[in-house]
Amino acid sequence: MLWFSTLSKTGFRSVIADNDEASSGKCLVPIPVPDIGLLWAEIEDAAVDGKLLAAKKSTHELVRIIGHNLACVYCAASDAATVAETLRTLREIGVDGELQYKSDRATFDGRDEYLYSSADFEMALKPV
């Protein structure tokens, strides 16, 4: 098993649509081992409180393979507005650094392609 169960206040399930943007997807959030700043706790609380749609975390088995924990923070669709709002919430709870976003359509198809990078949204997220 590579992933712990998905946490969601709404009972989230992935949607695989005909294209990337209409499919659900996830921000990939690397979490250092050990998680001294307790980043996972912030993500977990936000998912349980409904601030984030859903989240899941890598198991120790995956950590051994990739060298760090990884959280998937889900979006109901992979359009830019939905992803930007999720990224805004992640930044508000203290997630920093470069993040990648992958649609569940790409995962289902076995494509190792990212639809967005957090850098695509950073200017729009800065307060004016």
Side-chain angles (χ1 to χ4, degrees):
M1 180 170 75
L2 298 178
W3 297 98
F4 287 110
S5 298
T6 302
L7 300 170
S8 175
K9 187 174 185 176
T10 63
F12 168 78
R13 296 269 187 226
S14 292
V15 173
I16 310 299
D18 291 338
N19 61 61
D20 286 318
E21 289 78 11
S23 298
S24 55
K26 61 269 182 197
C27 291
L28 304 174
V29 182
I31 300 174
V33 176
D35 184 12
I36 296 170
L38 300 177
L39 186 57
W40 171 247
E42 294 294 331
I43 293 170
E44 179 180 40
D45 289 348
V48 169
D49 292 344
K51 294 176 187 170
L52 295 170
L53 178 63
K56 69 181 177 183
K57 180 181 167 191
S58 55
T59 63
H60 299 296
E61 184 177 339
L62 185 55
V63 170
R64 282 192 294 275
I65 296 168
I66 64 175
H68 57 83
N69 279 304
L70 185 64
C72 293
V73 177
Y74 285 89
C75 295
S78 297
D79 61 278
T82 302
V83 175
E85 185 57 35
T86 298
L87 181 60
R88 180 183 316 278
T89 301
L90 287 169
R91 295 303 192 216
E92 287 171 359
I93 65 171
V95 175
D96 60 6
E98 181 69 18
L99 304 178
Q100 300 295 320
Y101 184 89
K102 187 174 184 180
S103 76
D104 289 335
R105 173 89 248 172
T107 299
F108 181 80
D109 290 344
R111 291 184 282 129
D112 197 20
E113 300 170 6
Y114 299 109
L115 196 54
Y116 305 108
S117 164
S118 58
D120 297 334
F121 300 100
E122 293 303 340
M123 290 306 292
L125 293 177
K126 292 196 185 305
V128 283

